[in-house]
Amino acid sequence: MIDMSYLDEIELPRHGGRVEAVAEERRISPESIIDFSANMNPLAPPESLEGYLAESARALEFYPDDRYEKFRRAVVDFLRAKAGKWLNQGNVIPGNGSVEIFRLFLRMVSVAGGDRVLVPFPTFSEYELQARLLGMKVDRRAYQEVLDLTEEDLINYDVVFLCNPNNPTGTLRGRERLTKFVSTCQRADVLVSLDEAFIELTRPEESLVDLVNQFHNLVIVRSLTKAFSIPGLRLGYGVVSNKLSSRMEKLRPPWNLNYPAAYVGRRFLKEEKGLLRESREYLTEEREWLSERIEGLGFSLYPGSANFILFQTKEVGLTALEVVNRCLDSRVLVRNADSFCGLDEWHVRVAVRKRKDNEKMIKAIEKSLT
């Protein structure tokens, strides 16, 4: 009999956005909760979403075009200012959320015999989970330590995962630093998966998306969930070299995007660049405002640039779980970050929302301290 006992040892990660589950536990209405546990663009989704969904519903009786040419073209046009002539539709892999791209990528590596994965900490938990589900060996090292590895160090691995800006810390690494690291990995024959889920809400000029045909070991992963606040549609994409694209495409399930997701995604990419610019400006100012208030309550903040903030609670004598539960008394849901590798029971992550909601969160946290 095949031994699948390795699956019994794997614990599923805890994600944010569990509003319905929390509401059920508390016996309150989900609509009464302000969710700071999931990191969405507070200025999205665009008002056009409802109309686009209505338009897409007319095609539900037909199979989607499995090539997703219109969606791929929209991605290329969206990235053209950054990637220029170096990007074409063949470089784009459509995904049912970014997690599916991680799976396709790791499956490609696994089928080829690769099984040694390096994941920094703290970072998004799905990298490790998806690798371990394929029976791969995962090594964890501190983020800065990973970026300082030499070519000689890296030959012990097949894959390295990076997230920029990093979740949950919000740290944004510069383009020059990451380019140097990817180059070192290429010389060591190591593949790099670079998750840029939040880059459009911070500094898209730091993206490496234009380098995928220069570095054939680089896989860029993007998510429309965060930028356009459409988590229910499950939509992302990978940007890879032509060589890797032809391989990953053979592993992609047929019709992996439903028609509404592909339709809404391409319309947003085509028509909502102005919203993203406005969102970046807003988030920069609002993050500063919110950071000052949290710090003023006695918490220690991690320096970051993303649309969320990670802070420590030990200074105020409350665990993250205590802060979460006390804030829920005020119908405010914040994220207990102790499930991230490298963080402990003294860490909380909160999203940056609109000012009115942010003020309510500050009041809830302040009340939790009394």
Side-chain angles (χ1 to χ4, degrees):
M1 179 178 291
I2 297 174
D3 183 10
M4 294 182 288
S5 59
Y6 77 96
L7 289 171
D8 299 330
E9 301 173 2
I10 297 175
E11 291 187 16
L12 296 179
R14 185 178 70 239
H15 294 298
R18 296 176 57 252
V19 174
E20 290 190 5
V22 170
E24 185 176 333
E25 291 170 4
R26 286 257 170 167
R27 297 184 180 180
I28 58 179
S29 167
E31 291 75 22
S32 69
I33 297 176
I34 305 176
D35 185 16
F36 285 85
S37 69
N39 310 315
M40 305 297 161
N41 181 354
L43 302 190
E47 294 181 358
S48 56
L49 174 61
E50 186 175 344
Y52 291 158
L53 287 174
E55 292 171 13
S56 68
R58 301 168 190 162
L60 290 180
E61 60 184 295
F62 305 107
Y63 277 102
D65 180 356
D66 186 41
R67 299 168 299 174
Y68 298 107
E69 289 187 345
K70 292 181 180 180
F71 176 73
R72 294 178 199 256
R73 189 180 311 127
V75 171
V76 172
D77 290 343
F78 176 77
L79 297 173
R80 191 168 299 282
K82 173 69 177 173
K85 64 181 181 180
W86 304 109
L87 200 65
N88 57 66
Q89 292 181 46
N91 297 126
V92 179
I93 304 292
N96 188 265
S98 58
V99 171
E100 184 174 55
I101 303 298
F102 303 143
R103 288 176 180 171
L104 291 176
F105 168 62
L106 287 168
R107 188 179 175 199
M108 175 186 68
V109 174
S110 178
V111 168
D115 68 348
R116 303 166 302 170
V117 179
L118 177 59
V119 179
F121 67 80
T123 198
F124 188 41
S125 56
E126 286 292 337
Y127 312 143
E128 177 176 3
L129 174 64
Q130 297 306 320
R132 294 188 66 198
L133 288 175
L134 287 169
M136 305 173 91
K137 303 171 185 135
V138 179
D139 188 12
R140 301 301 300 258
R141 302 179 73 162
Y143 212 113
Q144 190 54 49
E145 183 181 339
V146 169
L147 293 178
D148 289 336
L149 292 177
T150 66
E151 183 178 342
E152 184 178 352
D153 297 324
L154 288 163
I155 61 174
N156 296 314
Y157 302 103
D158 299 303
V159 171
V160 177
F161 276 92
L162 297 176
C163 184
N164 195 47
N166 187 41
N167 176 20
T169 63
T171 306
L172 180 69
R173 266 83 183 186
R175 173 182 168 88
E176 183 177 350
R177 180 73 185 87
L178 291 181
T179 301
K180 181 180 178 182
F181 178 75
V182 173
S183 179
T184 303
C185 287
Q186 181 163 262
R187 292 194 302 273
D189 198 24
V190 177
L191 293 165
V192 179
S193 174
L194 178 58
D195 184 355
E196 294 186 343
F198 297 100
I199 199 79
E200 289 296 336
L201 297 179
T202 49
R203 294 177 58 84
E205 63 270 22
E206 301 295 344
S207 171
L208 302 192
V209 73
D210 58 314
L211 300 180
V212 294
N213 281 315
Q214 177 180 336
F215 294 110
H216 299 292
N217 63 323
L218 178 61
V219 175
I220 301 288
V221 185
R222 293 285 192 97
S223 169
L224 277 72
T225 294
K226 315 301 182 183
F228 295 113
S229 293
I230 49 173
L233 282 179
R234 310 310 309 139
L235 182 60
Y237 59 89
V239 184
V240 300
S241 69
N242 291 316
K243 186 176 182 179
L244 287 182
S245 175
S246 64
R247 294 170 177 172
M248 289 179 65
E249 185 66 13
K250 293 174 182 177
L251 296 169
R252 182 175 65 84
W255 309 295
N256 62 322
L257 298 189
N258 63 63
Y259 187 85
Y263 183 81
V264 169
R266 65 181 171 86
R267 294 297 297 267
F268 280 176
L269 289 171
K270 181 179 179 181
E271 300 170 16
E272 298 296 345
K273 290 184 179 180
L275 172 65
L276 294 179
R277 286 193 295 269
E278 179 186 355
S279 299
R280 287 192 291 269
E281 294 173 1
Y282 173 83
L283 286 165
T284 298
E285 295 181 3
E286 195 63 14
R287 179 191 170 90
E288 183 177 353
W289 182 91
L290 190 55
S291 296
E292 290 177 356
R293 270 66 187 175
I294 295 174
E295 204 164 25
L297 293 174
F299 298 97
S300 175
L301 274 61
Y302 282 69
S305 306
N307 58 314
F308 50 88
I309 299 169
L310 179 69
F311 59 92
Q312 296 188 55
T313 66
K314 196 169 187 177
E315 291 88 343
V316 301
L318 294 176
T319 66
L321 183 59
E322 289 173 321
V323 172
V324 170
N325 287 332
R326 294 186 184 190
C327 283
L328 272 173
D329 293 338
S330 301
R331 303 295 195 269
V332 169
L333 176 60
V334 300
R335 174 71 190 273
N336 181 353
D338 68 357
S339 62
F340 288 95
C341 177
L343 301 184
D344 56 25
E345 70 273 21
W346 307 104
H347 289 82
V348 169
R349 191 195 67 192
V350 296
V352 179
R353 294 178 58 104
K354 289 184 177 179
R355 177 63 60 86
K356 184 177 180 180
D357 287 342
N358 292 336
E359 289 175 340
K360 290 180 180 178
M361 182 186 67
I362 291 299
K363 290 180 180 178
I365 295 177
E366 189 173 17
K367 185 177 178 181
S368 75
L369 301 178
T370 60

